[in-house]
Amino acid sequence: MIAYAFISPWFIGFLVFIIGPMLASLYFSFTQYDMLSKPSWIGLDNYVKMLTDDKRFITALKVTFTFVFVSVPLKLAFALLIAMLFNVDRRGVSVYRTLYYVPSILGGSVAVAVMWKQLFGSKGAVNALLGIVGIKGTSWVASPDFALWTLILLVIWQFGSPMLIFLAGLKQIPHELYEASKMDGAGAWMRFFRVTLPMLTPIIFFNLVMQTIGGFMTFTQSFLITAGGPLDTTLFYAVYLYETAFTHFQMGYASAMAWVLLIIVALFTGLIFKSAASWVHYESEGGK
């Protein structure tokens, strides 16, 4: 009873703030509900409308998929590059690690979103630097051709968390493997592809899963910097879901969207786990 008493705050919170709202949203997804009147049961109509009659839903899917498939690999590659540069024993390197981690802490804040919007605005610092070399810039966040890429660049800039995880993985690779490969005549690139990458595959797997899930749920950057525009080119799925629920008060439809997002994230996560058997190497498996 004492043990149950100690875990009861977490258990009650789990039931009230996680399981309860999930079950409620599952029920609302089969209803027409505007939060002002009682929900009315409509069955699968929300899901049918979503998949057959909502062009903005399809647009939000395309934008989100593009964002995830481009930003996640670039972010992980850049994080690994920086981690390898910091994997040295030199004075002051810990200070640089901390400084490079700061953007990950601040990346989702309102202040950083406002700063990013100013940097890539028509009169921002980016255009000022381009003007020095004679290039006339544009309002990058307001251009349909570049708005999504400015948000992708912002997410790549937040590479601190995967960088630290990669750095921890690099420090666990035995130096004997590098010494043996050098004796066999392997160059830097060969050591990277034959030693570093195989030994880091569990870390890559973890970062890939976490960043993919986070990518599908991205909200703050688009909502604060571009508000889903221009012309819905940055209409992330989470932004459209929020807009549907709290701007148009279509809570039943938004609940259905939330469950579709859950299914999409679960499918992609499952695919990553399924593929892991063919490319993730664990030392405990004896090289299998």
Side-chain angles (χ1 to χ4, degrees):
M1 294 303 296
I2 293 175
Y4 284 124
F6 273 107
I7 68 171
S8 61
W10 176 89
F11 189 70
I12 294 172
F14 179 72
L15 291 177
V16 173
F17 296 111
I18 298 179
I19 296 298
M22 285 183 67
L23 294 177
S25 72
L26 180 60
Y27 167 72
F28 289 140
S29 71
F30 298 104
T31 66
Q32 185 176 350
Y33 180 46
D34 60 5
M35 296 188 294
L36 300 176
S37 57
K38 291 184 178 180
S40 58
W41 185 268
I42 58 174
L44 295 173
D45 287 0
N46 284 328
Y47 294 95
V48 173
K49 175 185 175 182
M50 192 187 311
L51 299 174
T52 62
D53 193 39
D54 189 349
K55 294 182 179 179
R56 295 195 75 203
F57 171 78
I58 302 301
T59 299
L61 278 181
K62 291 179 180 178
V63 170
T64 305
F65 283 157
T66 302
F67 175 80
V68 171
F69 293 152
V70 174
S71 66
V72 171
L74 290 178
K75 184 177 183 178
L76 294 184
F78 195 63
L80 178 57
L81 173 63
I82 301 300
M84 294 187 66
L85 293 177
F86 284 159
N87 190 31
V88 293
D89 294 324
R90 293 181 182 177
R91 179 180 297 179
V93 71
S94 59
V95 176
Y96 285 100
R97 293 171 188 165
T98 304
L99 292 175
Y100 275 76
Y101 180 67
V102 169
S104 289
I105 302 175
L106 303 176
S109 68
V110 175
V112 169
V114 173
M115 178 200 71
W116 207 260
K117 187 174 182 178
Q118 294 296 326
L119 283 175
F120 288 90
S122 57
K123 297 181 180 179
V126 173
N127 283 342
L129 292 175
L130 292 175
I132 296 176
V133 295
I135 300 176
K136 184 179 180 181
T138 183
S139 181
W140 305 95
V141 295
S143 170
D145 296 327
F146 300 107
L148 181 60
W149 294 100
T150 62
L151 300 185
I152 290 174
L153 187 61
L154 172 58
V155 172
I156 296 173
W157 179 65
Q158 304 167 29
F159 62 85
S161 294
M163 178 201 70
L164 289 182
I165 297 172
F166 277 134
L167 186 59
L170 288 170
K171 290 187 175 298
Q172 297 302 314
I173 300 177
H175 289 286
E176 292 80 2
L177 295 179
Y178 290 110
E179 294 173 358
S181 61
K182 285 182 181 179
M183 293 181 63
D184 289 338
W189 283 105
M190 184 65 71
R191 293 196 299 272
F192 174 74
F193 285 107
R194 297 295 185 179
V195 178
T196 305
L197 277 185
M199 297 298 292
L200 277 182
T201 48
I203 308 298
I204 297 173
F205 170 71
F206 173 79
N207 276 332
L208 180 60
V209 170
M210 299 304 296
Q211 296 302 320
T212 300
I213 294 173
F216 277 110
M217 297 189 297
T218 300
F219 170 81
T220 306
Q221 294 85 347
S222 174
F223 183 73
L224 293 177
I225 298 175
T226 61
L231 302 177
D232 288 344
T233 52
T234 61
L235 184 66
F236 291 170
Y237 195 102
V239 173
Y240 185 42
L241 192 156
Y242 174 88
E243 179 184 312
T244 301
F246 299 107
T247 301
H248 303 297
F249 298 104
Q250 298 175 1
M251 186 58 69
Y253 190 62
S255 297
M257 289 180 60
W259 278 92
V260 170
L261 177 60
L262 175 64
I263 293 171
I264 291 173
V265 172
L267 286 175
F268 276 94
T269 305
L271 288 174
I272 296 174
F273 270 89
K274 187 69 174 178
S275 68
S278 62
W279 62 274
V280 179
H281 165 76
Y282 295 99
E283 274 190 286
S284 59
E285 297 178 353
K288 295 182 180 179

